[in-house]
């Protein structure tokens, strides 16, 4: 990268030094990235993030002192411009859902390829979420349930959402990507994107992951109707 286009500033957080070093060795040779620091727990991560102001924090979830979920929540509250990409040893991990709810922009398994890690950091930097739609649905349907007596979000209760927006929300929660939603509803891809932008604003959610979580928490979809019991789940 030139001085005019600096690399993406990355903070690596993991309680295992070998994992931190491995991630750093993957990213450092690429001029598109600048590894600005490493932390061994969530408390150190929050402190370093405030001092170093990274663009993206690659955050392990299960750590001592302060775990990745709590650290993500703190960063989302105090440094919203800093994007968090959560790491998990397992794809199906309830802590991943907690991290997404707390404000993480996506997650990756720790055995991710160097190419996918780099691509995910670039995507997260733009504010987009990094979670394959069907994998996201499987995760959330496994760990999120509507509590007894759950009330629909205000935007639903007041009728602020249009019928089309509700349908887009429901299809999104079943694991369809934008192209799939456009095909089912017989509308253009750009129209789907417009509905989703409006939907996020009315639901007061930041991204697709939080919208899907809200769909399950509100009872709009369930594990049975949402497709969470189906196998597969790439894109």
């Amino acid at each position: 990268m030139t001085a005019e286009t600096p690399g993406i500033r990355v903070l690596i957080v993991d309680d295992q030094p070998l994992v931190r070093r491995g991630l750093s060795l993957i990213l450092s040779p690429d001029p598109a990235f600048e590894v600005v620091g490493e932390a061994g727990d969530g408390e150190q991560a929050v402190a370093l993030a405030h001092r170093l102001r990274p663009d993206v924090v690659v955050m392990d979830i299960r750590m001592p002192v302060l775990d990745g979920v709590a650290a993500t929540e703190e960063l989302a509250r105090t440094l919203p411009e800093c994007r968090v990409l959560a790491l998990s040893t397992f794809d199906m991990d309830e802590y991943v859902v907690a991290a997404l709810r707390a404000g993480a922009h996506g997650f990756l398994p720790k055995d991710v390829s160097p190419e996918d890690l780099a691509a995910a950091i670039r995507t997260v930097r733009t504010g987009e979420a990094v979670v394959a739609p069907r994998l996201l649905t499987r995760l959330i349907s496994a760990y999120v349930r509507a509590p007894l007596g759950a009330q629909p979000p205000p935007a639903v209760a007041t009728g602020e959402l249009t019928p089309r927006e509700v349908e887009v929300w429901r299809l999104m929660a079943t694991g369809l990507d934008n192209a799939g939603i456009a095909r089912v509803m017989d509308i253009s891809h750009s129209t789907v994107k417009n509905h989703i932008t409006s939907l996020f604003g009315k639901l007061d959610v930041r991204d697709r992951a939080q919208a899907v979580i809200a769909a399950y928490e509100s009872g709009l979809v369930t594990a049975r109707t949402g497709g969470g019991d189906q196998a597969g789940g790439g894109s």
Side-chain angles (χ1 to χ4, degrees):
M1 286 286 176
T2 65
E4 290 75 21
T5 56
I8 299 171
R9 294 169 57 80
V10 181
L11 174 63
I12 297 172
V13 185
D14 196 288
D15 63 336
Q16 299 181 45
L18 284 176
V19 173
R20 295 199 304 270
R21 178 52 50 194
L23 292 172
S24 181
L25 288 173
I26 288 172
L27 297 174
S28 294
D30 190 333
F33 305 105
E34 179 187 359
V35 178
V36 296
E38 299 177 12
D41 61 60
E43 189 174 88
Q44 292 178 3
V46 172
L48 278 178
H50 278 269
R51 180 160 65 87
L52 301 173
R53 300 300 172 107
D55 300 309
V56 176
V57 177
V58 179
M59 180 86 75
D60 186 22
I61 292 181
R62 304 192 186 207
M63 296 182 293
V65 186
L66 189 70
D67 66 25
V69 174
T72 296
E73 187 172 28
E74 177 67 14
L75 288 176
R77 184 179 65 83
T78 60
L79 284 179
E81 70 279 8
C82 176
R83 316 295 187 186
V84 174
L85 179 62
L87 290 182
S88 173
T89 304
F90 304 103
D91 286 349
M92 296 298 288
D93 186 339
E94 62 183 309
Y95 288 91
V96 170
V97 175
L100 293 171
R101 185 186 280 116
H105 277 71
F107 81 92
L108 294 173
K110 283 191 176 180
D111 61 357
V112 65
S113 71
E115 296 78 14
D116 285 346
L117 174 64
I121 292 173
R122 288 187 177 93
T123 299
V124 164
R125 178 66 182 90
T126 68
E128 296 294 322
V130 179
V131 188
R134 289 197 178 277
L135 181 54
L136 172 66
T137 303
R138 287 169 55 209
L139 266 169
I140 293 173
S141 66
Y143 297 113
V144 179
R145 297 288 184 275
L148 291 176
Q151 298 298 315
V156 177
T158 61
E160 186 179 353
L161 293 182
T162 68
R164 282 259 168 149
E165 288 168 346
V166 172
E167 182 64 6
V168 167
W169 188 23
R170 185 186 66 78
L171 292 171
M172 181 191 305
T174 66
L176 292 184
D177 59 13
N178 289 5
I181 294 172
R183 187 166 53 252
V184 170
M185 295 184 67
D186 194 23
I187 57 180
S188 70
H189 192 271
S190 62
T191 299
V192 172
K193 291 181 68 174
N194 290 338
H195 282 317
I196 289 175
T197 298
S198 177
L199 183 66
F200 286 178
K202 291 178 180 180
L203 291 175
D204 193 25
V205 298
R206 192 202 55 243
D207 57 28
R208 199 180 202 93
Q210 292 190 344
V212 176
I213 289 171
Y216 278 87
E217 288 180 332
S218 69
L220 177 70
V221 292
T222 65
R224 181 177 61 81
T225 63
D229 296 329
Q230 297 176 9
S235 57

